Amino acid sequence: MAIRFIDLRSDTITQPTPDMRQAMAVAAVGDDVLGDDPTVAALEEEVAAVLGKDKALFVPSGTMANLIAVRAHTEPGDEILLDANSHIYFYESGGLAAISGAMPRCVQGRRGIFGAKDLDPLLRPADAHFPPTRLVCMENTHNRGGGSIWPLETMREVAAFARGHHLRSHLDGARLWNACVATQIPESDYAACCDSVSVCFSKGLGAPVGSALAGGNDFILRARRFRKQVGGGMRQAGIIAAGALHALRHHRDRLSEDHANARALAKGLGHMRGISFNPEEVETNIVRFEVESMSAGRLVEQLSQKGVLMLATGAKTVRAVTHLMVSSDDIEAALRILEELLEKAPHDHDDSLRTEK
Ligand code: TLP
């Protein structure tokens, strides 16, 4: 019999629900590059309204949303300020350099979060030796920060700093929905801190494909051109936009279940030997912990043999993410398996399975 995996690698692994598939099957479509797709138009309008921006643009992925945002805000040689662990810097295959010719300058945030005082020393004097600093990027919730939520006040402080120094600002809000459900702060309050915002439908919200980039009218006009340039103009995209629209309308509130499951996982991990971890840091649906007794790669490998999937995100760091295909029973089962493995673990210093993701 096929083994059913408890898949905690990412919230990107979700399958569309029957209702979502139905919405996709009956979606009205047209050629969206020609501006004819009513479902894409409806999604873009609804996203712009939720985020309190003039316009939004539907794109295939979060990576493309960020890529286009950086390209639309900068010119080659411009400098952008962002956290060293941000998705744009860490996980986007160098796209900001390859496509935008941008110079990244990293801030060492605390769980991905930084303030004006971290940015201030990085400002360049107006001098021909230096690249012009153009853009500040934030990420909320922060993936490598362990799903950490930016306090709204801190975002406002960075926004004021950016405006005061004529810098543009972008928010990677792939998991902004999670921050909003956890804090009960509306998306538009966070979005008001930035000139542009990217959001994803294919993570916690459970749609199969799609992200959106939102911002002012002129910015989105420019972004639309860059989307075409990188091959992101899609034709009868209403089929996938319908899944995204369904997710936006019906799957936001349920993220609180994922957060409760992440807290339950954190609580269980807090009692385990061989793990170092602060359960208080689990604010949304991402749980990151350090393994003491073996490499993260080895633990992940052993877990997968028992039907539990997690990701090694550092030599000693493991990430588990809750989502709509994970139940509270799955969390209990995963904890039992983890505990069993850790109880048995000899102090194994072999890091031949060292993986960093
Ligand atoms: N994150 C993925 C991996 O790329 C690491 C994951 O499994 O968490 N911004 C943030 C904050 C993200 O976490 C991700 C995906 C993206 C952007 C990119 O989205 P996609 O995968 O749609 O390109």
Side-chain angles (χ1 to χ4, degrees), residues 10 61-63 66 87 91-92 139 143 172 174-175 203 319:
S10 184
S61 68
T63 302
N66 288 332
H87 197 276
Y91 283 131
E92 294 185 5
E139 182 179 315
N143 182 342
D172 176 350
R175 296 189 181 82
K203 303 199 167 53
R319 183 187 84 161

Side-chain angles (χ1 to χ4, degrees), residues 161-208:
F161 179 89
R163 272 194 293 272
H165 294 279
H166 308 289
L167 306 177
R168 317 207 91 239
S169 54
H170 171 68
L171 171 62
D172 176 350
R175 296 189 181 82
L176 184 62
W177 321 116
N178 296 81
C180 296
V181 164
T183 59
Q184 294 295 302
I185 293 171
E187 286 80 0
S188 53
D189 282 12
Y190 287 115
C193 300
C194 291
D195 297 307
S196 62
V197 188
S198 57
V199 287
C200 286
F201 310 108
S202 63
K203 303 199 167 53
L205 296 194

Side-chain angles (χ1 to χ4, degrees), residues 37-50:
D37 193 300
T39 311
V40 172
L43 173 68
E44 290 178 345
E45 210 171 292
E46 208 157 311
V47 171
V50 169

Side-chain angles (χ1 to χ4, degrees), residues 27-245:
V29 298
D31 187 329
D32 184 53
V33 175
L34 302 180
D36 286 349
D37 193 300
T39 311
V40 172
L43 173 68
E44 290 178 345
E45 210 171 292
E46 208 157 311
V47 171
V50 169
L51 295 171
K53 296 292 186 200
D54 293 341
K55 286 235 155 54
L57 184 69
F58 187 47
V59 293
S61 68
T63 302
M64 192 185 283
N66 288 332
L67 184 81
I68 293 171
V70 172
R71 180 65 195 92
H73 281 304
T74 61
E75 291 303 332
D78 285 354
E79 188 165 74
I80 74 179
L81 305 178
L82 75 182
D83 175 65
N85 275 305
S86 60
H87 197 276
I88 296 181
Y89 181 72
F90 202 93
Y91 283 131
E92 294 185 5
S93 199
L96 83 174
I99 305 296
S100 302
M103 285 266 297
R105 189 138 185 240
C106 287
V107 182
Q108 299 298 331
R110 289 153 294 278
R111 300 180 64 227
I113 297 163
F114 53 84
K117 71 171 186 335
D118 300 295
L119 298 178
D120 195 56
L122 303 183
L123 285 178
R124 309 277 199 178
D127 179 312
H129 287 85
F130 303 120
T133 313
R134 194 76 63 197
L135 177 68
V136 180
C137 296
M138 292 174 252
E139 182 179 315
N140 191 10
T141 67
H142 199 284
N143 182 342
R144 286 183 64 82
S148 49
I149 302 173
W150 275 70
L152 184 57
E153 276 322 302
T154 311
M155 281 194 72
R156 286 184 171 149
E157 175 193 301
V158 169
F161 179 89
R163 272 194 293 272
H165 294 279
H166 308 289
L167 306 177
R168 317 207 91 239
S169 54
H170 171 68
L171 171 62
D172 176 350
R175 296 189 181 82
L176 184 62
W177 321 116
N178 296 81
C180 296
V181 164
T183 59
Q184 294 295 302
I185 293 171
E187 286 80 0
S188 53
D189 282 12
Y190 287 115
C193 300
C194 291
D195 297 307
S196 62
V197 188
S198 57
V199 287
C200 286
F201 310 108
S202 63
K203 303 199 167 53
L205 296 194
V209 190
S211 286
L213 176 63
N217 286 319
D218 292 347
F219 172 81
I220 293 297
L221 204 60
R222 201 168 139 81
R224 190 175 286 279
R225 189 180 132 234
F226 291 124
R227 182 185 70 172
K228 191 76 187 85
Q229 208 172 70
V230 295
M234 297 178 285
R235 302 298 178 173
Q236 285 69 31
I239 294 278
I240 52 173
L245 200 49

Side-chain angles (χ1 to χ4, degrees), residues 12-36:
T12 57
I13 66 102
T14 53
Q15 302 271 327
T17 60
D19 284 353
M20 186 184 282
R21 284 181 189 271
Q22 182 58 24
M24 295 171 75
V26 301
V29 298
D31 187 329
D32 184 53
V33 175
L34 302 180
D36 286 349

